Amino acid sequence: MIGTILRNIRKIRGLTQNYVGHELKLADNTISNYETEYSNPNFDTIQKFTEVCNFQIQFVDKETKKVY
């Protein structure tokens, strides 16, 4: 699931796997592996990936709908 989200936000911004990999100092095939869910990034990498794509991660309390 996270791989699909990462791929979608990268494509929304029109960025290549090469560009994101370069910004994160990771190989292109590593980005591909994350997006196809062959391997899973840790949370720090997910956060950096989203920042490169100009997105932010938010957590929403299901009960109160409060965003953190």
Side-chain angles (χ1 to χ4, degrees), residues 8-10 12-13 47 49-57:
N8 288 340
I9 66 171
R10 177 182 61 76
I12 286 168
R13 295 295 185 234
Q47 186 175 12
F49 192 113
T50 60
E51 288 174 3
V52 168
C53 296
N54 202 25
F55 277 78
Q56 68 181 28
I57 298 171

Side-chain angles (χ1 to χ4, degrees), residues 6-67:
L6 295 177
R7 182 181 65 240
N8 288 340
I9 66 171
R10 177 182 61 76
K11 287 186 171 191
I12 286 168
R13 295 295 185 234
L15 303 174
T16 64
Q17 289 180 344
N18 187 341
Y19 176 82
V20 174
H22 179 264
E23 291 295 307
L24 298 178
K25 297 177 178 48
L26 297 171
D28 299 354
N29 65 332
T30 301
I31 301 302
S32 176
N33 288 343
Y34 291 160
E35 291 183 2
T36 60
E37 299 182 8
Y38 182 77
S39 63
N40 293 309
N42 61 34
F43 186 79
D44 186 51
T45 302
I46 294 168
Q47 186 175 12
K48 289 176 183 175
F49 192 113
T50 60
E51 288 174 3
V52 168
C53 296
N54 202 25
F55 277 78
Q56 68 181 28
I57 298 171
Q58 294 185 335
F59 294 92
V60 179
D61 184 322
K62 286 184 173 183
E63 291 178 17
T64 65
K65 307 296 184 215
K66 186 172 180 177
V67 177

